Amino acid sequence: MAKLKKKERHDALLNILETDPFLTDEELSEKFGVSIQTIRLDRLSLNIPELRERVKSVATNNYEKVRTLGQAEIVGELIDLELNKRAISFLQTDDTMAFQRTRIVKGHYIFAMAESLAMAVVDANVCITGVANMKYRVPVAAGQKLVAKAELTRVRGSEYFVHVIINVNNDQVFRSKFILTALNVG
Amino acid sequence: MAKLKKKERHDALLNILETDPFLTDEELSEKFGVSIQTIRLDRLSLNIPELRERVKSVATNNYEKVRTLGQAEIVGELIDLELNKRAISFLQTDDTMAFQRTRIVKGHYIFAMAESLAMAVVDANVCITGVANMKYRVPVAAGQKLVAKAELTRVRGSEYFVHVIINVNNDQVFRSKFILTALNVG
DNA sequence: CCTGTTATTAGTACCTGGTTATAAAAATAA
DNA sequence: TTATTTTTATAACCAGGTACTAATAACAGG
């Protein structure tokens, strides 16, 4: 690797740590062909924490995320629930849920909130989504607090019709209809 | 906390580290009212790695996951793209995307795949979802390989109509229509 | 050319959260 | 009581740093 100027090295450093935050100062110094001290100075001036802190933050950040997004069966906090009638949930949005460029929250987070609330309101062991129709009325900005309200409107055999609307400050940003099918599972 | 027998302490240790892997030996020794050395012996006999290794493993395990799920702008791999015409993407599903009980893939992963592909096909800087109608025809089991095909069917002003179907082994499991609105953003 | 500034390297002392190994003390079972 | 298990103490060592000081190299301007 050709010798880089300081500025170039800084950019490259940010870049490389973005894709692999698990490199030690020593490994970095070898990659750039400079001394360890130079790397340390770079990190200092760029406010990049040491390896252990980086690893820790990757660990804790994702820990939360995987807990609430991957493992939890409901997206958002369930605030109120009357089975087969209505349910309310709350979701605090943040930058990790948004497109970087526009800071508009990605549709599937909103969809996930609505779908999981629709499922929660149905009094059945297991149910799957059959049909979903939705209308995004207003884009949601990262940081806004979402309140979802679900209402069971109709039951036809094992099919459940659920309306879910999502508000920000009492303004409707999203509305949807789901048809869920209940399954008979142990 | 009352003094526990060795066996009980071992069980409790495994338990506590399951829910919070970020505790140092010192913190653990305080919690259990024993010396640090005892904790170390316990870890040794239970084959529990040291704090830093635990943190690292939490970090690396979830790193991949969040990269492709939280940060990527497209869910699945983009296989083919003709702007304003059609696009194809591929997604390998796994257990982390499914309900634990039924191993059926959660709807919002499928939605996310479809929505992001619909956005990819539209030749616009930024676009947001206005309307989405979808039909889940067959539940997707964890492990199945999804192939999504998007087709731009109509343009009306800044509104783009996109159809997305998703197949498993050439069987349609999902179909949807999106109306996306293109934004003029620098 | 020398000079001043910036960039880099070197070296030291210290820190955290461990490690290994050895020995002694305390608790428990026979 | 004796034997065995469990726990604690002590000391030396390690990785991957921080914080600080000092020396050296690189380069631009007059």
Side-chain angles (χ1 to χ4, degrees):
Chain A
M1 183 183 271
K3 274 264 185 181
L4 300 171
K5 300 246 155 144
K6 190 181 187 181
K7 181 77 179 69
E8 297 171 302
R9 198 182 54 233
H10 278 195
D11 292 346
L13 196 60
L14 288 168
N15 235 298
I16 204 170
L17 287 179
E18 176 95 14
T19 60
D20 184 359
F22 304 113
L23 296 166
T24 63
D25 287 358
E26 194 176 1
E27 289 167 328
L28 289 167
S29 77
E30 282 162 17
K31 259 191 212 304
F32 287 107
V34 297
S35 70
I36 282 198
Q37 285 78 0
T38 302
I39 296 295
R40 311 250 227 241
L41 280 176
D42 289 349
R43 277 201 300 99
L44 201 67
S45 67
L46 292 171
N47 259 323
I48 298 171
E50 60 169 297
L51 168 68
R52 284 157 180 165
E53 293 304 315
R54 296 197 300 272
V55 169
K56 203 154 116 190
S57 94
V58 169
T60 49
N61 282 350
N62 298 349
Y63 199 57
E64 284 296 302
K65 211 170 289 174
V66 170
R67 282 185 147 229
T68 56
L69 207 127
Q71 297 184 2
E73 309 274 289
I74 189 158
V75 175
E77 295 168 51
L78 194 61
I79 303 293
D80 186 35
L81 174 64
E82 280 182 82
L83 276 174
N84 280 342
K85 285 191 182 163
R86 78 197 96 257
I88 298 177
S89 72
F90 171 81
L91 179 67
Q92 170 68 61
T93 63
D94 62 45
D95 280 313
T96 66
M97 305 176 184
F99 292 103
Q100 286 169 18
R101 191 149 44 164
T102 55
R103 299 196 65 224
I104 291 174
V105 172
K106 296 177 190 179
H108 52 267
Y109 284 90
I110 294 169
F111 175 80
M113 184 188 192
E115 185 194 36
S116 61
L117 190 64
M119 288 189 168
V121 82
V122 172
D123 184 14
N125 229 330
V126 170
C127 59
I128 59 172
T129 307
V131 174
N133 295 318
M134 56 212 58
K135 168 78 181 163
Y136 293 81
R137 304 193 63 204
V138 183
V140 174
Q144 289 188 311
K145 298 175 204 299
L146 301 179
V147 176
K149 295 178 191 175
E151 198 172 347
L152 185 74
T153 55
R154 187 173 156 200
V155 181
R156 189 174 63 192
S158 62
E159 285 188 331
Y160 292 76
F161 293 65
V162 182
H163 288 199
V164 181
I165 63 168
I166 298 182
N167 290 346
V168 171
N169 295 329
N170 269 323
D171 293 327
Q172 190 180 110
V173 295
F174 171 93
R175 69 167 181 269
S176 56
K177 287 181 210 175
F178 290 87
I179 304 177
L180 305 174
T181 302
L183 295 183
N184 294 324
V185 175
Chain B
M1 182 182 271
K3 274 264 186 181
L4 300 171
K5 299 248 154 136
K6 192 182 186 182
K7 181 77 181 70
E8 296 171 303
R9 198 182 55 234
H10 278 194
D11 291 347
L13 195 62
L14 287 168
N15 233 298
I16 204 171
L17 287 179
E18 176 93 14
T19 60
D20 185 357
F22 305 113
L23 296 166
T24 64
D25 288 357
E26 193 175 2
E27 289 167 328
L28 290 166
S29 78
E30 283 162 15
K31 261 192 211 303
F32 287 106
V34 296
S35 71
I36 286 194
Q37 286 78 359
T38 302
I39 296 294
R40 311 250 226 240
L41 280 177
D42 288 351
R43 277 202 300 99
L44 201 67
S45 67
L46 292 170
N47 259 320
I48 298 171
E50 61 170 293
L51 168 68
R52 284 160 180 164
E53 292 305 314
R54 294 196 301 272
V55 169
K56 203 154 119 191
S57 94
V58 169
T60 48
N61 280 349
N62 300 146
Y63 195 58
E64 282 299 302
K65 216 170 289 175
V66 172
R67 276 174 77 92
T68 55
L69 207 124
Q71 296 184 4
E73 309 273 291
I74 187 158
V75 175
E77 294 168 52
L78 195 61
I79 302 294
D80 186 35
L81 174 63
E82 279 182 84
L83 277 174
N84 278 344
K85 285 191 182 163
R86 76 197 98 256
I88 298 177
S89 71
F90 171 82
L91 179 66
Q92 171 68 60
T93 63
D94 61 44
D95 279 314
T96 66
M97 306 175 182
F99 292 104
Q100 286 169 18
R101 193 150 42 164
T102 55
R103 301 197 63 226
I104 291 174
V105 172
K106 296 178 189 179
H108 53 267
Y109 284 90
I110 294 169
F111 175 80
M113 184 188 192
E115 186 194 37
S116 61
L117 189 65
M119 287 188 168
V121 83
V122 172
D123 184 14
N125 229 330
V126 169
C127 60
I128 59 171
T129 307
V131 173
N133 295 317
M134 55 212 56
K135 168 78 180 163
Y136 292 82
R137 305 192 65 205
V138 183
V140 174
Q144 289 187 313
K145 298 174 203 302
L146 302 179
V147 176
K149 295 179 191 175
E151 198 172 348
L152 186 73
T153 55
R154 188 173 154 197
V155 180
R156 189 173 64 193
S158 62
E159 285 187 330
Y160 293 76
F161 293 65
V162 182
H163 287 198
V164 181
I165 63 167
I166 298 182
N167 290 346
V168 172
N169 293 329
N170 268 320
D171 293 326
Q172 191 180 110
V173 295
F174 170 94
R175 67 167 182 268
S176 57
K177 288 181 211 175
F178 290 86
I179 304 177
L180 305 174
T181 303
L183 296 181
N184 294 323
V185 175

